[in-house]
Amino acid sequence: GEDDDAPIETGGALGGDKMTTTITTTTTTTTTMSILSGCMTVASAAIADAGIDIADLVSGGVAAIVPRLSSSSSLDSPHHPNANANVEKIPAEIILDPCPSEHSHILAICVIGYLRSRDQITEIWTRGNVDSGLLLLSDDTEGKGKGDSTFEMLMDKAVEAAVEARRVLEAALMEAAEFKLRKRDAEEAGLKG
């Protein structure tokens, strides 16, 4: 079914031993994590808009590890890199804000709640396999944070997504505050006139 995990076997370099990893094929998990990320951000906006004092705005972010596929291959195809028993690792990349319609196979996914001014993660939830021994991340991902584990790189990308969401949140709150000030000024001018 849609919520089943599909195993992928990859050949090992030592004597043809096979390693198995699980690709999360569920759109439910991806959707749930994206919704949770949005809920954290919207709740923070609502609290700030209500005028409740807060130490910082919480913004949510999601990142996922997805297999890199050529346009002519699929995970079930004999042309997929993992169909060859001599391939050791799954070619993968880390993306921000995964969309189930664009990425039907997800190796791992991470959602975080982030306080930017404190550089603090308030919530983290991951699902999937972040075993560095099974993944061959793209060059642009590997160049960042040499020595970082796959989990740390995934978490850093989720933080990056949260920072981007925070920029939108800040702009929306500034616009709302300006509107409230203009409205108050207009009301005060009407009372004096």
Side-chain angles (χ1 to χ4, degrees), residues 77-150:
S77 163
H79 302 291
H80 183 271
N82 293 329
N84 181 345
N86 296 323
V87 175
E88 285 186 22
K89 296 184 177 191
I90 298 171
E93 61 185 331
I94 300 176
I95 60 165
L96 304 181
D97 296 321
C99 176
S101 65
E102 294 175 12
H103 304 284
S104 60
H105 291 83
I106 294 179
L107 298 163
I109 188 166
C110 175
V111 62
I112 58 125
Y114 184 65
L115 296 169
R116 188 170 115 196
S117 68
R118 295 179 177 210
D119 191 27
Q120 185 177 34
I121 293 174
T122 61
E123 169 66 23
I124 186 164
W125 180 23
T126 60
R127 177 150 187 230
N129 192 338
V130 291
D131 183 349
S132 300
L134 295 176
L135 303 173
L136 177 62
L137 292 174
S138 61
D139 292 338
D140 62 324
T141 305
E142 287 183 311
K144 298 177 181 159
K146 288 284 187 196
D148 284 353
S149 71
T150 304

